[in-house]
Amino acid sequence: MMYRTLVIMCCLFLFACPVQNGVAGEEKTARVMVLPFDGTASGDFAYLTDSIRAMVLSRLAANKDVELVDYAVQQDEIRMLNNGAATLEDGESLFTRFQTDYVVTGGLYALQTGLKIQVSVKGKDEEAPPVRLQVLAVNEDAIIPQVEMLAGDIAGKGMGLQTAGPASVAGKAEGAEEGLAGFATEHPEKVYKKGIFSGSIVVEEGGGVKVASTAVRRSSVIPSMLVTMATGDLNGDGRLEIASASRSTLSIYRFNETRFEAVAEHRFSGAFKIHAVNIADVDRDGRQEIFVSADRDGRAASAIVKLDGSSLVPVLEEIEWYIRPLNKPGEGVILAGQRASQDPKDGYVRQGVSQLKLYANFNGVREDKKLPLPRNVRLFDFEWVDLDNDNKYELIAVDHREKLLIYDSQNSLMWVSEEDYGGSRNFFGPPKSSRVRSLMAFDDDSEFEREMVFLPTRILPVDVDGDGRQEIVIGQNKRLFGKWLSNSREYDGGAVVCLGWQENGLRQLWKTNKINGYIADYNYVQNGRSLGSEEDASAGLYVAQIPEKMFFGFLMSSESKLLRYDLVVEAAD
């Protein structure tokens, strides 16, 4: 019944609003294209995805200063955009191609508290960041007034236009408490006041934690483009090793007092492409191993590697799973895996994550059981975390729109972030150079229609201040282009941030200053005195940085650096 009511209301809005595209003498100040909304996480509200976009369009059309751009993009143009817009003519952008000033993208999230609608408004000024807006409807009756409010914010806050306000009164829901966010944007105009600058760390005021950076160390230039890194004690001597990987080479470094020293290197042969390394003691023999998740020609070909003196020795290769050790509540460290797909339209990865059984002496792996995860959560997207120290674990994940999602123990969505986190250029399947060769062959359209499945940067649950509650350390690369380029991701600098659970949501506690270029990976290690440094630090943050910008996945120079932040972290008084 509610669905029919909304459709009728949408139609009334569409007929009542003076849509005047193309009317002679009508002067418009802003042309806007609203792309279809993403309803992947909309749950029981999925049937409203198109209706809500139609309502947004109708309310925008009612503004005399707005001209809607018809969404009549052809399939080949969509594929062109998804594949990185590499075929656009010199000097041409999406905005000039479609003659628009603004592009609006959005997504729907079904939370326990209602339906959250998030949108991003990006103008043609490349230097200006997108404007992010969101509303929360606590029940179905609140959806229409909330969408009206959102449309007004798109015009006003997103495009800087004057708005007459919504046609319906966005009042208080019957029976709702005063201040309930049923008819208001959640956290409107939220801006955290900056606290002190502790060297290279920015601390948020009121976050309940004190952080100081005593030093930042940088390695010399590494003549390869790092994809991933991990930290751990690989030989049991109490010192920390850093395992970093480029496309096909695994390298080990140690931080020795003031500099990074190379220890060992192993190059995998053939068309080997690494997308993740992790360090763990899965077989519980007291020694940590390196788990390399990789593919070869579009099929999974992972490996487990040990450090033996100054040599890296693979103990198991050609594992037909993408692999990752993770800490599972009640069981400790397990080995998880996900199958590869040979179909480019699947992004070279199948649905479903399994717990794997590792045979003795690394003689192989087999599937043990499926992990009960929310739909569309993949192997590298999530962690289990106890955010409020109640011994009940939540699941935190990064979705394909770079939003942080928190699920309860029943996989019910509790919270979604306003800001983007975990943005990464790392993806499953063959490298882009292989895709270019396939496109130039003109004999196979499947690679042209490839769905890129990206791995987010890692989610690190850590009790940084020793209060018994876990915080989240995660990367925040800043997008250079909008999210309509679903198959291409480019970033212009970023930071590593720490988030803590406060007042039913994650709040930023501290972050690094801007790190130029692109943050490929990072690790947070507590007890800094055992890291091989004489500095009096309580923690170390290691970052793999690619200093240069990329353009549609291609870099003129392939160089990287490793950074180490010496941190002193404690709870605020």
Side-chain angles (χ1 to χ4, degrees), residues 21 31-34 53 57 67-72 98-102:
N21 292 357
R31 289 173 56 83
V32 58
M33 182 167 67
V34 181
R53 174 175 174 262
L57 286 168
E67 180 178 351
L68 297 180
V69 176
D70 288 338
Y71 187 75
F98 300 112
Q99 298 183 16
T100 186
D101 301 312
Y102 296 92

Short mmCIF file of all heavy atoms in Angstrom, two decimals, residues 21 31-34 53 57 67-72 98-102:
data_model
loop_
_atom_site.label_atom_id
_atom_site.label_comp_id
_atom_site.label_asym_id
_atom_site.label_seq_id
_atom_site.Cartn_x
_atom_site.Cartn_y
_atom_site.Cartn_z
N ASN A 21 12.54 22.17 -19.27
CA ASN A 21 13.73 21.97 -20.11
C ASN A 21 13.43 22.35 -21.55
O ASN A 21 12.46 21.89 -22.14
CB ASN A 21 14.15 20.49 -20.07
CG ASN A 21 14.66 20.11 -18.70
OD1 ASN A 21 14.76 20.94 -17.83
ND2 ASN A 21 14.97 18.83 -18.53
N ARG A 31 22.77 23.32 -14.66
CA ARG A 31 22.31 22.09 -15.30
C ARG A 31 22.81 20.92 -14.47
O ARG A 31 23.99 20.86 -14.12
CB ARG A 31 22.84 21.99 -16.73
CG ARG A 31 22.19 23.00 -17.69
CD ARG A 31 22.86 22.98 -19.06
NE ARG A 31 22.87 21.66 -19.67
CZ ARG A 31 21.84 21.14 -20.34
NH1 ARG A 31 20.72 21.84 -20.49
NH2 ARG A 31 21.93 19.93 -20.87
N VAL A 32 21.92 19.98 -14.15
CA VAL A 32 22.27 18.90 -13.24
C VAL A 32 21.81 17.57 -13.82
O VAL A 32 20.73 17.46 -14.39
CB VAL A 32 21.68 19.13 -11.83
CG1 VAL A 32 20.17 19.25 -11.89
CG2 VAL A 32 22.07 18.00 -10.88
N MET A 33 22.67 16.56 -13.69
CA MET A 33 22.34 15.20 -14.10
C MET A 33 22.32 14.33 -12.84
O MET A 33 23.31 14.28 -12.10
CB MET A 33 23.35 14.67 -15.11
CG MET A 33 23.05 13.27 -15.60
SD MET A 33 24.04 12.79 -17.07
CE MET A 33 25.68 12.73 -16.37
N VAL A 34 21.20 13.67 -12.58
CA VAL A 34 21.05 12.80 -11.42
C VAL A 34 21.13 11.35 -11.90
O VAL A 34 20.23 10.87 -12.60
CB VAL A 34 19.72 13.05 -10.69
CG1 VAL A 34 19.61 12.14 -9.47
CG2 VAL A 34 19.62 14.52 -10.27
N ARG A 53 14.55 8.43 -6.49
CA ARG A 53 15.27 9.26 -7.47
C ARG A 53 14.28 10.10 -8.27
O ARG A 53 14.54 11.28 -8.55
CB ARG A 53 16.07 8.36 -8.41
CG ARG A 53 16.73 9.14 -9.54
CD ARG A 53 17.61 8.25 -10.40
NE ARG A 53 18.11 8.98 -11.55
CZ ARG A 53 17.59 8.93 -12.77
NH1 ARG A 53 16.52 8.17 -13.00
NH2 ARG A 53 18.12 9.63 -13.76
N LEU A 57 14.27 14.19 -8.65
CA LEU A 57 14.23 14.86 -9.95
C LEU A 57 13.08 15.85 -10.01
O LEU A 57 13.23 16.98 -10.50
CB LEU A 57 14.10 13.83 -11.06
CG LEU A 57 15.35 13.01 -11.40
CD1 LEU A 57 14.98 11.83 -12.30
CD2 LEU A 57 16.40 13.87 -12.06
N GLU A 67 18.04 23.21 -14.38
CA GLU A 67 17.63 22.52 -15.60
C GLU A 67 18.15 21.09 -15.52
O GLU A 67 19.35 20.86 -15.33
CB GLU A 67 18.19 23.21 -16.84
CG GLU A 67 17.77 22.52 -18.13
CD GLU A 67 18.30 23.23 -19.36
OE1 GLU A 67 18.84 24.35 -19.22
OE2 GLU A 67 18.17 22.66 -20.46
N LEU A 68 17.25 20.14 -15.64
CA LEU A 68 17.63 18.74 -15.57
C LEU A 68 18.22 18.29 -16.90
O LEU A 68 17.72 18.63 -17.97
CB LEU A 68 16.42 17.87 -15.23
CG LEU A 68 15.76 18.11 -13.86
CD1 LEU A 68 14.59 17.16 -13.68
CD2 LEU A 68 16.77 17.93 -12.73
N VAL A 69 19.27 17.51 -16.82
CA VAL A 69 19.86 16.89 -18.00
C VAL A 69 19.28 15.50 -18.10
O VAL A 69 19.40 14.70 -17.16
CB VAL A 69 21.40 16.83 -17.89
CG1 VAL A 69 21.99 16.09 -19.08
CG2 VAL A 69 21.97 18.24 -17.79
N ASP A 70 18.63 15.21 -19.21
CA ASP A 70 18.02 13.89 -19.39
C ASP A 70 19.09 12.82 -19.29
O ASP A 70 20.17 12.93 -19.90
CB ASP A 70 17.34 13.78 -20.76
CG ASP A 70 16.06 14.60 -20.82
OD1 ASP A 70 15.51 14.88 -19.74
OD2 ASP A 70 15.63 14.95 -21.93
N TYR A 71 18.76 11.76 -18.55
CA TYR A 71 19.71 10.66 -18.42
C TYR A 71 19.51 9.72 -19.61
O TYR A 71 18.82 8.71 -19.55
CB TYR A 71 19.48 9.90 -17.10
CG TYR A 71 20.53 8.85 -16.82
CD1 TYR A 71 21.81 9.22 -16.41
CD2 TYR A 71 20.25 7.51 -16.99
CE1 TYR A 71 22.78 8.27 -16.16
CE2 TYR A 71 21.22 6.55 -16.75
CZ TYR A 71 22.48 6.93 -16.33
OH TYR A 71 23.43 5.98 -16.09
N ALA A 72 20.08 10.10 -20.73
CA ALA A 72 19.93 9.33 -21.95
C ALA A 72 21.29 8.85 -22.44
O ALA A 72 21.58 8.84 -23.62
CB ALA A 72 19.25 10.17 -23.02
N PHE A 98 28.34 15.66 -21.52
CA PHE A 98 26.90 15.61 -21.29
C PHE A 98 26.31 17.00 -21.00
O PHE A 98 25.15 17.10 -20.60
CB PHE A 98 26.60 14.65 -20.15
CG PHE A 98 27.06 13.25 -20.43
CD1 PHE A 98 28.10 12.68 -19.71
CD2 PHE A 98 26.48 12.52 -21.45
CE1 PHE A 98 28.53 11.41 -19.98
CE2 PHE A 98 26.91 11.23 -21.73
CZ PHE A 98 27.94 10.68 -20.99
N GLN A 99 27.14 18.05 -21.18
CA GLN A 99 26.67 19.43 -21.05
C GLN A 99 25.93 19.63 -19.73
O GLN A 99 24.79 20.06 -19.68
CB GLN A 99 25.77 19.80 -22.23
CG GLN A 99 26.48 19.76 -23.56
CD GLN A 99 25.60 20.20 -24.71
OE1 GLN A 99 24.57 20.82 -24.51
NE2 GLN A 99 26.01 19.87 -25.93
N THR A 100 26.63 19.30 -18.65
CA THR A 100 26.04 19.46 -17.33
C THR A 100 27.02 20.19 -16.43
O THR A 100 28.24 20.15 -16.64
CB THR A 100 25.68 18.09 -16.73
OG1 THR A 100 24.98 18.28 -15.50
CG2 THR A 100 26.91 17.24 -16.47
N ASP A 101 26.46 20.88 -15.43
CA ASP A 101 27.28 21.59 -14.45
C ASP A 101 27.52 20.77 -13.20
O ASP A 101 28.51 20.96 -12.50
CB ASP A 101 26.62 22.92 -14.06
CG ASP A 101 26.41 23.83 -15.26
OD1 ASP A 101 27.37 24.02 -16.03
OD2 ASP A 101 25.28 24.34 -15.42
N TYR A 102 26.56 19.90 -12.88
CA TYR A 102 26.64 19.10 -11.67
C TYR A 102 26.20 17.66 -11.96
O TYR A 102 25.32 17.43 -12.81
CB TYR A 102 25.74 19.66 -10.56
CG TYR A 102 26.14 21.04 -10.09
CD1 TYR A 102 25.58 22.19 -10.66
CD2 TYR A 102 27.09 21.20 -9.08
CE1 TYR A 102 25.95 23.45 -10.24
CE2 TYR A 102 27.47 22.48 -8.66
CZ TYR A 102 26.89 23.59 -9.24
OH TYR A 102 27.26 24.84 -8.82
#
